[in-house]
Amino acid sequence: MDFNEMKTIWNLQNNQPLYSINEQALYERIQQKKQQAFHITQISELLLIIVNLGCGCFIASINKSSISLYLLAAWMLVSGLYILISRIRRIQGNKRFDRSIQGDMEHALSVATYQVHISILGRWNIVPIGILVLFSLLESDKPIWIAVVLFIFLALVHYATGWEHTLYKTRKRELETLQNQLKTNTPSDIQTH
Amino acid sequence: MTEKEHKHIFEIWLKQYKGVIFKVVRAYAFNIMDQEDLFQEIVIQVWHSVPAFRQESAVTTWIYRIALNIAIKWVRKERKHNQTQTLDQTNISESVLLESNPKTDDRLDWLYEQISRLDAIDRSLALLLLDDFSYKEMAGIVGITESNVGVRINRIKKQLITKVKNDYGL
């Protein structure tokens, strides 16, 4: 066998499917990713709702005269309510998807997309909250170093939530990859078990 | 580029160049779970690369470059973290990819086995050589000089011919 013959043998595989998709395993993978996305989304939502509504109520109740703190309380209450409404809409939207493998995939993707949306909202929500907190500190006669420390802390939180957002985007992309595996395999390629 | 265009191009690429990715996967990963893992990593990177494609090279060259880069990195990573398993893998008993085995030629299996014994760079060159890439294209994809490609290719060819003589007595 010379090198040209090796090339001929090599080219034989161009017309053969090297792999097929194990649909059962793919379905299990989708289910698992869907459960992961659900679980993380539930926790994120509940945390954001509790923290925003809780802090909003608390600040409103203890505040005596600071306009910044009233604004902060209002902002946090609105944010909490927005996430609560989003959660209700998301749960109602679950009925849209059928129980086929494609339906489950679309459902998982919609949850992942929602998670990405919520994480970016949470990330940028730190900015107005941070500004209002800093204003309220400046309104009171607190030393400037407290504001500086708080600013650094908020900047770190903003950075950390960016990392979290990237993680959710990656998860969503993994699901999109699986979806494309489903789409790009014709029925003849797919092998069920 | 809109999200829709991005998705559309990605789907077309995956449909048309899946074979290229499978060749790279088979040359760099040797059990089905590893092959699946590498396949996923390459596909994700292909997705990322869609907006960056400027049509200065053929899509095949572009996909090959991505796939080989990821495969080489993956081999290094696997060597470091040989025992680690992702959360996904621990709970999944079955692999998504199944080898089709439509009566593959024994000589093709032999060829893959020989390629897998080469070092990471030579493995890339062997794949590109068998897929008729020019020395210039190979140099661009692998990131070495054309003359270095020539030297390595000669050595690979000699190794393969010697192995054929030993294994097949030809």
Side-chain angles (χ1 to χ4, degrees):
Chain A
M1 179 165 47
D2 62 7
F3 195 77
N4 286 332
E5 207 176 333
M6 285 184 204
K7 265 190 179 174
T8 309
I9 294 160
W10 181 257
N11 290 335
L12 284 175
Q13 71 186 308
N14 291 342
N15 303 318
Q16 294 173 339
L18 284 174
Y19 298 92
S20 60
I21 297 289
N22 177 349
E23 202 179 76
Q24 184 57 40
L26 183 59
Y27 182 68
E28 282 168 17
R29 182 74 51 95
I30 291 163
Q31 285 291 342
Q32 193 190 44
K33 286 197 179 291
K34 192 170 98 172
Q35 288 312 317
Q36 269 181 354
F38 267 6
H39 183 67
I40 294 163
T41 303
Q42 293 263 44
I43 291 169
S44 304
E45 273 174 341
L46 291 172
L47 272 174
L48 286 167
I49 291 165
I50 291 164
V51 167
N52 278 288
L53 292 181
C55 288
C57 292
F58 177 73
I59 292 163
S61 65
I62 61 156
N63 187 28
K64 299 285 188 289
S65 58
S66 167
I67 294 168
S68 300
L69 283 178
Y70 276 126
L71 285 171
L72 179 65
W75 183 267
M76 290 187 100
L77 287 168
V78 168
S79 300
L81 284 170
Y82 174 79
I83 296 157
L84 184 64
I85 291 160
S86 299
R87 176 180 157 82
I88 292 162
R89 277 186 180 162
R90 178 182 67 78
I91 291 165
Q92 282 174 340
N94 289 350
K95 296 168 193 148
R96 283 202 323 264
F97 304 96
D98 59 51
R99 291 307 312 272
S100 66
I101 191 166
Q102 280 287 7
D104 268 340
M105 171 57 86
E106 277 159 24
H107 191 185
L109 256 173
S110 88
V111 173
T113 305
Y114 174 81
Q115 180 64 59
V116 168
H117 171 74
I118 285 287
S119 69
I120 204 160
L121 185 93
R123 185 181 193 202
W124 289 106
N125 206 27
I126 290 164
V127 176
I129 287 172
I131 289 166
L132 289 167
V133 168
L134 289 169
F135 269 126
S136 69
L137 278 175
L138 295 172
E139 269 181 356
S140 64
D141 290 330
K142 297 275 187 299
I144 196 78
W145 66 264
I146 293 176
V148 172
V149 169
L150 189 75
F151 179 80
I152 292 166
F153 174 75
L154 289 169
L156 285 171
V157 171
H158 185 71
Y159 175 79
T161 50
W163 176 80
E164 182 197 29
H165 175 69
T166 307
L167 187 80
Y168 296 142
K169 276 205 314 196
T170 306
R171 286 227 169 103
K172 185 187 166 191
R173 197 144 294 131
E174 281 172 6
L175 276 168
E176 279 167 338
T177 304
L178 282 175
Q179 188 184 43
N180 279 294
Q181 275 187 23
L182 263 181
K183 276 185 185 172
T184 57
N185 279 280
T186 56
S188 61
D189 284 335
I190 289 176
Q191 187 169 333
T192 45
H193 289 248
Chain B
M1 181 182 284
T2 65
E3 178 103 12
K4 203 176 172 182
E5 285 169 335
H6 188 157
K7 229 171 173 166
H8 180 66
I9 292 166
F10 175 67
E11 280 169 25
I12 289 169
W13 281 10
L14 201 58
K15 209 170 250 180
Q16 286 183 344
Y17 303 102
K18 211 164 39 177
V20 167
I21 299 173
F22 283 148
K23 282 176 190 173
V24 173
V25 163
R26 199 174 163 186
Y28 283 85
F30 311 118
N31 66 59
I32 196 73
M33 286 307 275
D34 282 350
Q35 286 173 344
E36 190 189 320
D37 184 39
L38 179 55
F39 179 81
Q40 294 282 352
E41 286 206 28
I42 292 169
V43 167
I44 286 167
Q45 199 49 48
V46 168
W47 166 272
H48 279 302
S49 80
V50 171
F53 182 63
R54 296 275 173 270
Q55 294 174 336
E56 287 156 6
S57 62
V59 180
T60 323
T61 311
W62 180 258
I63 303 275
Y64 244 122
R65 181 181 287 133
I66 292 162
L68 291 170
N69 278 333
I70 294 294
I72 291 166
K73 280 181 195 163
W74 182 87
V75 168
R76 286 181 195 142
K77 191 177 75 182
E78 282 304 294
R79 231 177 259 151
K80 270 187 203 167
H81 310 285
N82 223 359
Q83 298 307 313
T84 57
Q85 276 196 313
T86 64
L87 180 69
D88 277 0
Q89 285 172 318
T90 51
N91 298 328
I92 286 168
S93 54
E94 276 195 293
S95 169
V96 170
L97 290 180
L98 290 168
E99 285 183 276
S100 283
N101 287 330
K103 283 239 187 305
T104 53
D105 193 319
D106 286 346
R107 293 170 303 172
L108 183 63
D109 293 337
W110 175 88
L111 198 48
Y112 268 111
E113 195 188 324
Q114 300 316 312
I115 291 167
S116 72
R117 288 178 181 174
L118 300 168
D119 70 41
I121 300 292
D122 282 357
R123 231 182 282 178
S124 305
L125 292 173
L127 292 180
L128 296 168
L129 176 71
L130 288 161
D131 271 338
D132 288 324
F133 280 80
S134 68
Y135 283 15
K136 192 180 174 186
E137 285 170 318
M138 287 186 212
I141 291 170
V142 179
I144 56 177
T145 63
E146 260 184 84
S147 56
N148 197 349
V149 168
V151 170
R152 281 173 176 261
I153 290 292
N154 281 331
R155 197 178 56 215
I156 292 164
K157 277 184 177 177
K158 273 181 192 164
Q159 270 182 329
L160 286 173
I161 300 297
T162 308
K163 282 299 290 178
V164 168
K165 282 176 184 165
N166 290 342
D167 295 356
Y168 287 90
L170 299 168

